[in-house]
Amino acid sequence: MERLTAIARELGRLTVSGAPEGYDAYVVVEAAARSNGLVVFVGADDTHANAMCETVRFFAPNLKVHEFPAWDCLPYDRVSPRSDIESRRLATLASLAARGDDAGPALLVTTINALLQRVPPRDYVLQASFVAAAGQDVDVAGLTMFLARNGYVRTGTVREPGEQAVRGGIIDLWPPGEDEPLRLDFFGDRLETIRTFNAGTQLSHGTLNRITLLPASEAPLDSASISRFRTGYVARFGAV
């Protein structure tokens, strides 16, 4: 117990060796609880990070755990990262950006690859959100622009995080951090209801009073950002 207290009170980087696999999760949990702050665990790969998350939830089911995986593709690759990975990353970034100094114990589990990858500025994550409440007027044009600018892919049917579908006065979308997609039912500019629905059956089964939408992409997709990217890409790699 004295060693755990010493680990929790140590400032900066500390090397702890000799902890068997599984017990290292207990050490991390105790460090977060005794320091009453945020502890960062960096795993060698996704397998190690996932095992840490499962073990931590066994030792401390009430501890707030933020998962921050790496992309499953390379920057400038011809394919985008999986939508569920970007969803988890953006939800974690939003939680960390809004986290106060007195937020209590929490654990951030990530990997070496994710730690080395650049992320959006904190101010961008804090400002890039859209709040809507049931029973109130909503700027539908502004909401549609927000979805397009922040990486929501327009589809006929929403089945994965980061997708949106517009059908008259109904907007279906799946924001990052949500377990299920949302169905926004409008009457004119009035947001009548916010319902959750099953992505497989498309049937609604729950209601929400208020939502905060986050970007679906870590890269802003407004016209200025796209133009800046194209200019930088040509300067770096030449015309394609």
Side-chain angles (χ1 to χ4, degrees), residues 2-235:
E2 294 180 358
R3 291 182 179 180
L4 294 174
T5 301
I7 291 172
R9 292 178 177 175
E10 182 71 20
L11 298 178
R13 186 178 302 171
L14 176 66
T15 300
V16 180
S17 61
E21 187 172 355
Y23 184 75
D24 55 353
Y26 177 74
V27 173
V28 169
V29 166
E30 287 297 317
R34 294 172 189 235
S35 65
N36 196 37
L38 179 67
V39 171
V40 179
F41 177 85
V42 183
D45 50 34
D46 290 334
T47 301
H48 192 195
N50 292 335
M52 172 60 66
C53 290
E54 293 179 3
T55 311
V56 164
R57 292 189 177 100
F58 171 79
F59 285 118
N62 295 325
L63 179 66
K64 179 63 177 178
V65 179
H66 302 282
E67 298 182 50
F68 193 69
W71 283 0
D72 60 337
C73 64
L74 297 175
Y76 301 105
D77 206 344
R78 293 181 178 273
V79 295
S80 299
R82 286 205 334 253
S83 57
D84 60 324
I85 291 179
E86 275 213 288
S87 175
R88 289 159 60 194
R89 286 172 57 90
L90 284 162
T92 294
L93 288 175
S95 297
L96 294 179
R99 177 181 169 85
D101 296 334
D102 57 347
L107 174 64
L108 172 63
V109 179
T110 185
T111 63
I112 297 174
N113 289 341
L115 198 65
L116 294 176
Q117 184 177 335
R118 290 187 175 184
V119 297
R122 184 171 183 266
D123 290 342
Y124 166 77
V125 177
L126 285 173
Q127 296 172 3
S129 62
F130 192 99
V131 180
Q136 297 183 359
D137 289 343
V138 174
D139 182 3
V140 180
L143 172 59
T144 304
M145 186 178 299
F146 170 86
L147 296 177
R149 186 174 61 243
N150 288 280
Y152 285 80
V153 180
R154 189 79 174 260
T155 63
T157 303
V158 172
R159 299 191 182 278
E160 295 183 355
E163 293 183 342
Q164 59 150 324
V166 180
R167 297 187 302 276
I170 295 178
I171 299 179
D172 289 349
L173 53 91
W174 196 334
E178 296 290 341
D179 295 331
E180 292 182 306
L182 305 177
R183 180 162 291 153
L184 311 184
D185 192 354
F186 288 91
F187 184 77
D189 290 335
R190 177 62 60 89
L191 178 56
E192 293 287 319
T193 59
I194 305 172
R195 294 175 289 174
T196 58
F197 66 92
N198 185 287
T201 64
Q202 297 291 302
L203 296 178
S204 303
H205 57 77
T207 59
L208 298 174
N209 295 323
R210 184 184 179 89
I211 57 171
T212 300
L213 303 180
L214 299 174
S217 171
E218 295 177 49
L221 298 176
D222 54 12
S223 57
S225 299
I226 293 174
S227 177
R228 185 167 57 249
F229 171 81
R230 286 175 174 170
T231 301
Y233 188 94
V234 171

